[in-house]
Amino acid sequence: GEDVKPFTPETAKEIVMSLQQPAVFCNMVGDWPALHWNVKFLSAVLDGKTIEFRIGSKTMDLVPQFETRCSYVKATLEEFLAWSSGQPSCLSGPFSCFEYSKYWAYADYKYIARIFEDKAEIFQDIRWSDFGFPGRSGKESTLWIGSEGANTPCHLDSYGCNLVLQVQGRKKWHLFPPGDTSFLYPTRIPYEESSVFSKVNVAKPDLKRFPEFKNTTAHVVTLSPGQVLLVPRHWWHYVESIDPITISINSWIELDADHEARVEEAITRTLVCAIKSAESPSDEDIWLNPTEVEATSHEINLQYLNKAVSAYFKCQKASVSEQTRPSSTEAERVTSPSHKRRKKQVGWEPGGCKLLTHEFDSSTLKAEKFQKIPFGPHLIQVLPQPQETSSTGAGKSDYRDLLHENEGGHFGKLHCTRKQLAMSNDCETPANQMDSDSSPNTSQTALSTNDLLDCLVNPHVISLVAQLLLERAGV
């Protein structure tokens, strides 16, 4: 009766750390208590505790629904469940302004360690040790609860790779490789540490405004309960809930490359905050994502940059030293929690860098070390869309349909409080409906501050600046 998993923790970890394309693990979490975390169960555990929901419109337009364009309400899971079920009791209460047929709700980026801070025993319901990360549980994970249509705008995460467990309902994932970055028109407005957004609404792209998007290679998969998706480093993703209620749990796995990424993020933050703070404030220019709470001063940002640079060299030195020592056993190796958004979440300081064990060094886990990826019924690769049904040639309104033709998929950042800055008082449309990049109207020819920033903090430019800065600091 013992539950035999298709991969040992050592093999699963080697797959996670070496695979450079998205894939779905099956039959790995059947004994996890977290699979029972449906909304009714979580509602009973939270016992009336309120959490914050992001509210967006189900009406799809050409502009991504960034968090700065959404409304926010605080509600219990019981109230969320009643609203999503269309119960009459919702004519009053936190969701009363938002008709279920027209809006979606998303409790996203909820750090389990925070919302269940008085119920620490529940952390053990999540066992990332089965994937080769001993000591990693719900304490290093985040919870996502959404209604049908709830979505995360297309973005890439600056830090780590991502493991995502689907618990309830299904989610559609649209993934794009790092090489598609320029085709996705990256922007740092709205600004959020560790997230680079795309200006394109990939579910309904404006090909007149963003013609290079037709050159992207979309990988699309529908994640079902009990499956775990691997999102490799720097893969773009747009995620949408396609069932009435969805619940997901994820954990970001830190990589050695994150040390340089933090230098890049520190450079980006310094430039964005300096330039936007120098601009005359505008009521319509909500450039800071609600997750960031506030813009930090230039002095603080510069201090953080120097600490990130120092930590980079400290970890490089420790890595060289580690390579000269005999390797420890797997049981002795302890992974650090993900640093996704951790600078803001738990006061992470670059100077306190913890060097990860040697197996995290990408140079030691190249493809030749793991030549045969065991794809099959237990590890399903997320394939690119066939050329004839890819984004190439798709019009403004038909790309969303193309993405949904493959229903079922290809099978064969502890927590800071959001600002309540987007809740409209009259219960009509979500507040702060602005262009995704706050660029001038098409009739204008003048370049805006955001146009300048889109070029100045472009990921390719920031990468070059970071290399030059590290060269200067290393002399």
Side-chain angles (χ1 to χ4, degrees):
E2 184 180 355
D3 182 29
V4 179
K5 300 181 186 298
F7 304 112
T8 65
E10 293 78 15
T11 300
K13 183 173 186 175
E14 199 159 13
I15 294 170
V16 170
M17 303 307 293
S18 63
L19 191 56
Q20 297 302 307
Q21 68 180 91
V24 177
F25 286 90
C26 300
N27 308 310
M28 284 290 289
V29 298
D31 59 344
W32 286 24
L35 284 184
H36 302 294
W37 284 22
N38 57 32
V39 171
K40 288 184 178 179
F41 170 82
L42 293 176
S43 177
V45 173
L46 289 174
D47 192 25
K49 184 176 183 178
T50 61
I51 56 178
E52 190 170 65
F53 288 85
R54 178 162 57 99
I55 308 293
S57 172
K58 288 185 177 180
T59 302
M60 185 68 67
D61 58 26
L62 300 179
V63 180
Q65 288 196 64
F66 292 124
E67 292 173 68
T68 50
R69 303 179 65 236
C70 292
S71 299
Y72 293 89
V73 300
K74 287 188 176 181
T76 65
L77 283 183
E78 186 178 13
E79 290 169 328
F80 167 74
L81 186 59
W83 174 75
S84 61
S85 302
Q87 294 182 14
S89 60
C90 295
L91 295 176
S92 60
F95 292 103
S96 61
C97 296
F98 306 100
E99 186 179 334
Y100 178 73
S101 63
K102 297 180 180 179
Y103 295 95
W104 49 257
Y106 209 2
D108 50 0
Y109 282 115
K110 295 296 179 279
Y111 278 74
I112 292 172
R114 171 58 64 89
I115 61 176
F116 297 117
E117 56 189 348
D118 56 342
K119 298 178 175 65
E121 66 279 1
I122 205 170
F123 299 160
Q124 303 311 313
D125 286 4
I126 302 163
R127 304 169 179 172
W128 297 115
S129 57
D130 284 344
F131 287 85
F133 302 100
R136 186 181 293 263
S137 65
K139 190 175 182 180
E140 296 83 24
S141 306
T142 51
L143 182 67
W144 310 70
I145 304 172
S147 65
E148 183 179 0
N151 63 80
T152 302
C154 187
H155 69 285
L156 68 78
D157 300 319
S158 303
Y159 308 147
C161 62
N162 194 2
L163 286 174
V164 186
L165 166 65
Q166 192 63 26
V167 176
Q168 180 179 357
R170 297 167 301 155
K171 278 185 174 178
K172 178 80 77 173
W173 285 74
H174 317 274
L175 301 115
F176 303 87
D180 283 357
T181 293
S182 61
F183 306 144
L184 286 159
Y185 299 84
T187 183
R188 298 310 299 261
I189 303 297
Y191 173 76
E192 170 186 283
E193 187 201 351
S194 80
S195 293
V196 182
F197 293 103
S198 169
K199 292 184 185 180
V200 184
N201 182 351
V202 302
K204 190 176 181 180
D206 185 346
L207 293 181
K208 289 185 178 179
R209 188 177 182 189
F210 307 115
E212 292 298 312
F213 178 73
K214 67 181 182 294
N215 296 320
T216 59
T217 303
H219 296 60
V220 183
V221 65
T222 298
L223 200 64
S224 298
Q227 297 177 334
V228 175
L229 174 66
L230 165 64
V231 182
R233 182 175 187 262
H234 285 183
W235 272 72
W236 293 83
H237 46 285
Y238 166 84
V239 191
E240 181 180 2
S241 298
I242 60 175
D243 282 331
I245 294 177
T246 63
I247 295 179
S248 307
I249 296 169
N250 87 293
S251 189
W252 285 281
I253 309 300
E254 188 179 21
L255 305 170
D256 270 354
D258 294 345
H259 302 312
E260 184 170 354
R262 287 190 192 93
V263 175
E264 295 176 356
E265 283 298 302
I267 294 170
T268 300
R269 186 180 190 89
T270 300
L271 293 174
V272 170
C273 289
I275 292 177
K276 292 300 292 185
S277 297
E279 190 179 36
S280 298
S282 168
D283 291 338
E284 296 182 355
D285 184 19
I286 309 291
W287 62 272
L288 195 67
N289 228 33
T291 51
E292 288 300 306
V293 182
E294 63 181 1
T296 41
S297 69
H298 182 71
E299 181 181 8
I300 291 175
N301 291 335
L302 203 57
Q303 289 176 2
Y304 179 71
L305 173 59
N306 277 283
K307 289 180 179 179
V309 170
S310 297
Y312 171 85
F313 286 111
K314 178 181 178 181
C315 293
Q316 261 205 338
K317 183 178 179 180
S319 181
V320 171
S321 175
E322 181 73 18
Q323 292 179 31
T324 64
R325 301 173 188 168
S327 59
S328 58
T329 62
E330 185 68 26
E332 294 171 333
R333 294 170 179 170
V334 179
T335 60
S336 296
S338 162
H339 283 304
K340 169 71 176 176
R341 296 185 176 182
R342 286 193 74 222
K343 183 172 80 73
K344 282 292 175 185
Q345 303 299 347
V346 294
W348 179 80
E349 290 290 342
C353 164
K354 293 182 179 179
L355 179 71
L356 298 184
T357 51
H358 184 56
E359 79 271 13
F360 279 80
D361 189 336
S362 59
S363 65
T364 67
L365 282 173
K366 292 182 180 178
E368 59 266 24
K369 291 271 188 173
F370 200 64
Q371 295 179 2
K372 182 68 174 177
I373 299 293
F375 290 122
H378 306 298
L379 182 66
I380 303 164
Q381 54 185 323
V382 181
L383 299 172
Q385 292 273 90
Q387 190 63 33
E388 62 271 15
T389 59
S390 69
S391 58
T392 304
K396 291 181 181 179
S397 61
D398 59 358
Y399 186 69
R400 180 177 172 83
D401 296 331
L402 292 176
L403 292 179
H404 284 269
E405 285 178 2
N406 296 298
E407 192 67 37
H410 296 283
F411 287 165
K413 257 142 144 205
L414 265 153
H415 192 68
C416 57
T417 304
R418 295 175 186 265
K419 282 183 179 178
Q420 299 294 318
L421 48 73
M423 182 65 189
S424 55
N425 294 324
D426 56 2
C427 296
E428 294 178 356
T429 57
N432 306 312
Q433 299 284 347
M434 63 180 185
D435 289 342
S436 61
D437 61 342
S438 302
S439 58
N441 295 328
T442 54
S443 60
Q444 294 178 307
T445 57
L447 294 173
S448 69
T449 301
N450 292 349
D451 292 324
L452 173 62
L453 282 173
D454 280 340
C455 298
L456 191 61
V457 296
N458 180 284
H460 296 303
V461 176
I462 291 296
S463 178
L464 177 59
V465 173
Q467 292 175 32
L468 293 171
L469 202 61
L470 289 171
E471 288 177 9
R472 177 184 293 263
V475 173

